[in-house]
């Protein structure tokens, strides 16, 4: 298949849709719905007893996804972390992009950076709090993204329609 004939799903599958999900994965999906879409995870991590939020993380290591289900949300999908090399945001491939490129992409779509944090080890995180996305960089190349369902100012979960 030539690149011009690529099926829509080949690009949609790794498309991050802020507040909604990634590709066919939608925030609010039950564990059974996710299992039907993704199959069994390679590992399931339970939160520690002292964690503020009781959750399960389903790790799909081959695909480069970790999917989070919080108990207080009835164990519905509420957060995705991915380092998938094909991840896309607003139709653009973002893995390996510089922090300036990512901030420019976000600005073009009306999002101003809310917080930049440099770690002692040299990594950097750019967080867009309203958009519920954290982008992690090493040596100024985007390595992975953690994003979740939108939360209202009243701290109510805003499940996608």
């Amino acid at each position: 298949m030539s690149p011009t004939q690529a099926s829509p799903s080949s690009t949609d599958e790794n498309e991050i849709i802020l507040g909604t999900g990634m590709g066919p994965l939608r925030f609010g999906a039950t564990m059974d719905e996710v299992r039907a879409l993704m199959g069994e995870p390679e590992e399931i991590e339970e939160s520690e007893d002292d964690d503020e939020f009781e959750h399960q993380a389903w790790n799909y290591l081959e695909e480069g996804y970790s999917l989070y289900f919080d108990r207080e949300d009835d164990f519905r999908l509420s957060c995705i972390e991915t380092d998938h090399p094909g991840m896309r945001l607003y139709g653009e491939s973002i893995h390996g992009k510089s922090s300036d490129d990512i901030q420019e992409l976000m600005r073009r779509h009306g999002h101003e950076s809310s917080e930049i944090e440099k770690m002692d080890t040299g990594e950097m995180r750019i967080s867009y709090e309203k958009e519920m996305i954290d982008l992690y960089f090493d040596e100024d190349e985007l390595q992975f993204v953690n994003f979740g369902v939108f939360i209202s100012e009243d701290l109510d979960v805003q499940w996608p329609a």
Side-chain angles (χ1 to χ4, degrees):
M1 190 185 300
S2 75
T4 55
Q5 294 174 314
S7 67
S9 63
S10 65
T11 54
D12 296 347
E13 188 174 304
N14 299 305
E15 180 75 26
I16 294 168
I17 305 154
L18 296 175
T20 300
M22 183 171 187
L25 289 168
R26 292 287 184 258
F27 295 131
T30 65
M31 291 178 160
D32 286 340
E33 290 168 338
V34 169
R35 191 177 280 113
L37 263 176
M38 300 286 294
E40 287 295 328
E42 284 141 290
E43 64 182 33
I44 295 178
E45 294 177 52
E46 300 278 348
S47 54
E48 301 293 324
D49 290 339
D50 58 352
D51 276 357
E52 188 178 341
F53 297 104
E54 189 179 331
H55 67 272
Q56 276 191 11
W58 288 15
N59 297 321
Y60 293 89
L61 306 173
E62 297 252 328
E63 292 87 351
Y65 302 123
S66 291
L67 309 177
Y68 293 86
F69 302 86
D70 290 329
R71 185 178 65 89
E72 74 174 34
D73 295 327
D74 301 319
F75 287 106
R76 291 162 66 192
L77 180 62
S78 60
C79 183
I80 298 172
E81 186 171 288
T82 183
D83 65 357
H84 192 287
M87 65 178 153
R88 304 170 69 78
L89 182 62
Y90 294 113
E92 294 188 29
S93 179
I94 59 171
H95 193 270
K97 293 274 193 199
S98 73
S99 57
D100 287 346
D101 287 347
I102 295 299
Q103 289 174 294
E104 175 56 30
L105 172 66
M106 293 297 279
R107 269 193 297 277
R108 283 198 316 266
H109 293 277
H111 311 298
E112 294 300 322
S113 177
S114 60
E115 184 182 315
I116 297 175
E117 183 181 348
K118 288 196 183 334
M119 318 295 177
D120 296 338
T121 52
E123 289 97 2
M124 180 174 70
R125 182 189 78 215
I126 300 178
S127 299
Y128 292 84
E129 191 175 340
K130 188 170 157 272
E131 291 78 17
M132 296 297 292
I133 185 169
D134 295 321
L135 303 114
Y136 294 85
F137 298 82
D138 188 14
E139 296 184 3
D140 204 36
E141 290 185 357
L142 181 65
Q143 299 300 311
F144 68 95
V145 176
N146 184 310
F147 60 103
V149 65
F150 289 160
I151 309 287
S152 74
E153 289 182 20
D154 300 330
L155 302 180
D156 292 325
V157 175
Q158 306 290 298
W159 297 114

